[in-house]
Amino acid sequence: MSFSGTDTSSTSERDDGDGLHYQVALVLVLECQRPTARGLRVPLDAGAQLRIGRGDARELSSRDAVLELRVPDRKMSAQHAEFQRRGDQLVLLDVGSTNGTHVNRRRWSEPVTLQDGDVVQIGHTFFIVQARAMPPSARGLDAALETQGFATLEPGLAARFSRLARIAQTPLPVLLLGGTGTGKELLARAVHQRSGRKGPFVAVNCGALAPSLIESQLFGHVRGAFSGADRDQPGLVRTAHTGTLFLDEIGELRGDAQATLLRVLQEGEVLAVGATQPVRVDLRLVSATLKPVDAQDADDNFRRDLYARLAGFVFTLPPLAQRREDLGNIIATLLERSAMRHTYAISLRPAVADLFLRYGWPLNIRELEQVLAAASALADDGIVRPEHLPDALRQLTSNTDSSPPKSSPSDFPEPERALRAEVIRQLREHGGNVTATARAMGKARQQLQRWMRRFEIDPTRLEDLD
């Protein structure tokens, strides 16, 4: 039996009795010799065995209830390593490989129990362990959504992408939140593609609109409306008729333009500057901003009634540092986009992949794109080495400051936020005693410890948690 695709989406989960499911999976993030090969997620059921070794092509198969993953990695032994799911634990064994097996940059020859987020290097291929409690809706994406731009190997984000994909097929406006460079415009294009609308995708950076011409640029004008208006112009809103209008940095839109946009959304018509009769317009609106513009957080310059119209469905894109499993897929997309600029295939040194996985990426995907572009240009032989990277990456050390930023409570789905709060409350009530807390919650001590690792709860520093 063979598997294909980027997520095998098996039933490798156990119900913890609280609405969450404990999932264990191994994610192939990046092949250094083939960085355009994309990632692969392999769920592991209780009692499962996964053997990894070199092959002529990437292939995941099952034989006698044992999974076998072959990777065309020249530095990987034919029989290199084995992963065993023992209850809720995932154990890694090196089976006598030539180049060894590394976990978090340390070489292991003895069996080692892995934790959620551990980075495993086998040959020149990097894997990440997923072992966490997830809401039951956290499943893999189907192939159709992957090709439309909703691609991720992180189950929680996949569940959220699936909901957004369903919303995309309705006329509901979508508001995208997220830091600079997180891919909001790419996701807006994916929403447009999924919507099936026949018109164009029109992207507008509201912060770049000329203040004196903003209404004319957005809503159009008629000839003679003002000095220099020598012809009729439909404006960007009407250009998006029967398609999707993407308003990036919507929080930068001036107040007078906000009022006109509100009328467009309420009435479905546009009145061009200098015109006396409005024109009907049919469009889907997707907007984006770096920070929330809702009633609580918005300053006095943003209309709350406009926010109510924009926020039919609000979706927050996580930063790249919290999407390490997707790093290989994103790298593949960026390299493929620039493939015509190179006459040779690009490969990465393992040290480069290690730095990529440890770096915090403060400017997210946009920063990764620039780093790859510069490194590819500097790599005369097509091999990207650490010396081709900017100082911010090359200066990383193995200390904790170089690790990706820890998750905050708001990063978790609602069921997990509630569970995290309850675990902290119970630990505080029992003075940080794990055994007593587990007994009070009616859970095994090992289960409580898994939650503490997942939610990054230190029982000795409960006063610092919110």
Side-chain angles (χ1 to χ4, degrees):
M1 179 174 61
S2 296
F3 302 85
S4 61
T6 56
D7 187 342
T8 58
S9 298
S10 180
T11 58
S12 58
E13 53 188 42
R14 176 182 53 76
D15 192 338
D16 279 326
D18 50 16
L20 301 178
H21 292 255
Y22 190 75
Q23 296 185 336
V24 177
L26 185 69
V27 179
L28 191 164
V29 178
L30 184 62
E31 293 183 40
C32 292
Q33 296 164 3
R34 301 191 312 149
T36 58
R38 300 186 177 274
L40 173 73
R41 183 174 184 269
V42 184
L44 298 170
D45 297 315
Q49 289 180 272
L50 171 63
R51 295 171 182 166
I52 296 181
R54 186 183 66 250
D56 294 330
R58 185 191 293 182
E59 180 183 11
L60 178 63
S61 60
S62 177
R63 183 179 306 167
D64 299 328
V66 176
L67 291 168
E68 191 171 89
L69 176 61
R70 294 291 175 185
V71 182
D73 181 339
R74 297 188 301 274
K75 297 298 182 180
M76 197 179 283
S77 297
Q79 301 295 332
H80 196 116
E82 183 174 305
F83 293 82
Q84 298 178 357
R85 170 87 183 269
R86 302 174 182 174
D88 286 342
Q89 293 184 334
L90 185 63
V91 178
L92 168 63
L93 303 91
D94 185 282
V95 293
S97 67
T98 301
N99 295 317
T101 301
H102 296 76
V103 179
N104 300 328
R105 301 176 298 284
R106 178 182 174 185
R107 181 165 179 167
W108 289 85
S109 56
E110 300 297 322
V112 55
T113 300
L114 301 172
Q115 306 293 335
D116 181 43
D118 281 347
V119 176
V120 180
Q121 180 186 347
I122 299 176
H124 285 185
T125 301
F126 285 76
F127 300 81
I128 287 181
V129 176
Q130 288 180 346
R132 65 190 68 165
M134 299 295 296
S137 60
R139 313 282 184 174
L141 288 167
D142 61 47
L145 295 187
E146 293 272 358
T147 59
Q148 290 176 341
F150 299 91
T152 182
L153 294 172
E154 204 289 309
L157 184 57
R160 295 174 55 223
F161 274 159
S162 293
R163 291 194 291 273
L164 178 60
R166 293 178 63 182
I167 292 294
Q169 296 174 299
T170 74
L172 204 64
V174 173
L175 176 61
L176 302 177
L177 305 179
T180 180
T182 50
K184 295 187 292 294
E185 182 170 343
L186 292 176
L187 190 57
R189 290 182 182 276
V191 169
H192 171 65
Q193 182 181 357
R194 181 71 174 175
S195 72
R197 297 184 68 88
K198 304 302 183 183
F201 176 87
V202 178
V204 181
N205 185 339
C206 296
L209 294 172
S212 60
L213 299 175
I214 186 169
E215 293 218 17
S216 171
Q217 290 175 309
L218 279 177
F219 310 113
H221 62 259
V222 297
R223 180 181 178 184
F226 50 84
S227 177
D230 55 356
R231 68 185 68 180
D232 291 353
Q233 291 289 351
L236 295 166
V237 172
R238 284 178 59 190
T239 301
H241 180 62
T242 71
T244 299
L245 178 67
F246 174 55
L247 296 179
D248 198 9
E249 300 306 330
I250 186 69
E252 302 299 320
L253 196 63
R254 288 165 49 108
D256 48 357
Q258 289 180 32
T260 308
L261 178 61
L262 180 61
R263 175 178 175 81
V264 171
L265 300 179
Q266 288 176 333
E267 307 297 334
E269 57 186 29
V270 179
L271 183 65
V273 176
T276 57
Q277 293 295 324
V279 176
R280 298 293 298 176
V281 64
D282 170 27
L283 56 82
R284 167 65 168 288
L285 182 66
V286 179
S287 50
T289 181
L290 290 172
K291 59 183 181 179
V293 288
D294 59 14
Q296 286 187 324
D297 297 323
D299 57 32
D300 293 336
N301 294 324
F302 201 87
R303 298 178 61 116
R304 297 181 180 183
D305 50 359
L306 177 57
Y307 171 81
R309 286 284 179 176
L310 298 175
F313 186 81
V314 180
F315 187 94
T316 302
L317 266 169
L320 180 57
Q322 294 176 14
R323 296 183 62 186
R324 289 192 304 160
E325 295 96 329
D326 291 331
L327 193 64
N329 281 347
I330 295 170
I331 287 174
T333 298
L334 296 176
L335 288 178
E336 288 168 353
R337 187 185 301 170
S338 61
M340 297 302 293
R341 305 175 196 171
H342 308 293
T343 58
Y344 44 77
I346 296 294
S347 64
L348 311 177
R349 287 294 191 209
V352 171
D354 173 66
L355 292 173
F356 280 2
L357 286 167
R358 289 195 286 135
Y359 184 54
W361 299 110
L363 299 180
N364 298 295
I365 297 174
R366 187 171 299 140
E367 182 179 14
L368 174 61
E369 182 174 20
Q370 297 300 322
V371 168
L372 282 173
S376 300
L378 294 172
D380 293 331
D381 57 358
I383 303 175
V384 175
R385 298 176 173 84
E387 56 264 32
H388 300 143
L389 304 180
D391 291 344
L393 276 86
R394 289 190 289 108
Q395 291 174 356
L396 281 180
T397 64
S398 59
N399 61 31
T400 54
D401 292 337
S402 67
S403 301
K406 293 185 176 182
S407 301
S408 66
S410 62
D411 296 325
F412 297 109
E414 176 57 37
E416 289 198 74
R417 289 201 296 271
L419 175 60
R420 179 184 183 276
E422 177 62 15
V423 169
I424 293 172
R425 187 187 71 79
Q426 291 280 1
L427 282 168
R428 285 172 174 163
E429 187 172 314
H430 293 87
N433 187 307
V434 176
T435 301
T437 301
R439 187 181 303 116
M441 296 182 71
K443 298 291 182 181
R445 191 174 188 273
Q446 292 84 350
Q447 175 62 69
L448 180 59
Q449 289 173 325
R450 285 196 299 271
W451 285 338
M452 291 164 60
R453 287 195 300 269
R454 167 62 178 147
F455 299 134
E456 297 169 350
I457 297 173
D458 183 346
T460 66
R461 303 185 63 180
L462 294 172
E463 68 279 0
D464 297 334
L465 300 175
D466 53 18

